Amino acid sequence: MRRRSGYVLLEWIIGILFIVFGIYSYIRPDNMLTGIVILYGVIAIVSGIADILFYIRTDRYTGFGPTICLISGIFSIMAGFMLAVYPNAGKWILVLLLPVWFIAHCVSRLTHLNYIRIMAGKFYYYLTLAVNVVGIVLGCLMILRPAVALFSTGFLIGTYFILLGVDCILTAISRTGSKW
């Protein structure tokens, strides 16, 4: 039996958290800005740690790591701590901060595509590509149309988090986890 890496367990946890918070965003979109700012901060911190771990593991095994993963991981952790420590300020700037995090996280996940194509196959490669392109488009839409983002943030975030959660869980069960 092959031993699975700790990275796979982290992907499972992130995927489940993304799906749970995505569903919660659909159930309570009116309280999304005030009720789950801290929880989204925790997700950003865990996601940032995963990006940094991916950078470290990739650097260790290949001799070079995608620097954008390290940078977006640091930004995710910073955004997460800001949301967790200052939830009142976080609910007001969530409309501006979350799109930046969407874009940074999606760019980071897009840097994984070369490894995903080699290790997990074409289906997962195209799924990851599509989910992260949608995330970049949603991030840009929320930056360009903040009024729309303010009223639809719960549904936008819920949809994206569910897609991202499925993406993370598929990463955990794909062949990617067994080779690291």
Side-chain angles (χ1 to χ4, degrees):
M1 174 174 244
R2 289 185 180 166
R3 185 178 138 122
R4 306 291 277 204
S5 70
Y7 182 74
V8 173
L9 180 62
L10 188 60
E11 282 292 318
W12 267 103
I13 292 169
I14 291 170
I16 290 169
L17 284 174
F18 278 147
I19 290 172
V20 167
F21 293 132
I23 292 170
Y24 184 77
S25 293
Y26 271 119
I27 293 171
R28 305 289 307 256
D30 55 332
N31 291 337
M32 197 285 305
L33 287 176
T34 57
I36 60 175
V37 169
I38 293 173
L39 296 176
Y40 284 144
V42 170
I43 287 176
I45 291 168
V46 171
S47 176
I49 290 169
D51 284 342
I52 292 171
L53 286 176
F54 181 80
Y55 169 80
I56 291 168
R57 288 178 187 242
T58 304
D59 187 48
R60 184 175 355 149
Y61 290 111
T62 64
F64 61 91
T67 307
I68 195 75
C69 279
L70 179 64
I71 293 169
S72 72
I74 292 169
F75 281 140
S76 290
I77 290 172
M78 288 172 32
F81 274 118
M82 193 285 308
L83 290 173
V85 173
Y86 300 110
N88 288 332
K91 69 181 179 183
W92 295 110
I93 64 166
L94 188 64
V95 173
L96 298 175
L97 183 63
L98 215 50
V100 173
W101 178 61
F102 266 33
I103 293 168
H105 185 75
C106 289
V107 168
S108 170
R109 297 291 286 194
L110 288 174
T111 63
H112 302 179
L113 283 179
N114 288 332
Y115 306 105
I116 289 169
R117 184 181 59 218
I118 293 168
M119 300 173 99
K122 287 183 180 180
F123 172 76
Y124 183 63
Y125 170 81
Y126 289 118
L127 176 69
T128 301
L129 177 66
V131 166
N132 289 295
V133 167
V134 167
I136 290 172
V137 170
L138 286 176
C140 291
L141 175 69
M142 287 191 287
I143 288 174
L144 296 174
R145 304 276 187 198
V148 172
L150 181 64
F151 295 112
S152 63
T153 301
F155 296 111
L156 287 173
I157 292 170
T159 301
Y160 179 66
F161 276 177
I162 290 171
L163 288 173
L164 195 56
V166 169
D167 182 49
C168 289
I169 289 174
L170 286 176
T171 298
I173 64 173
S174 74
R175 291 181 289 155
T176 304
S178 64
K179 297 201 180 208
W180 285 52

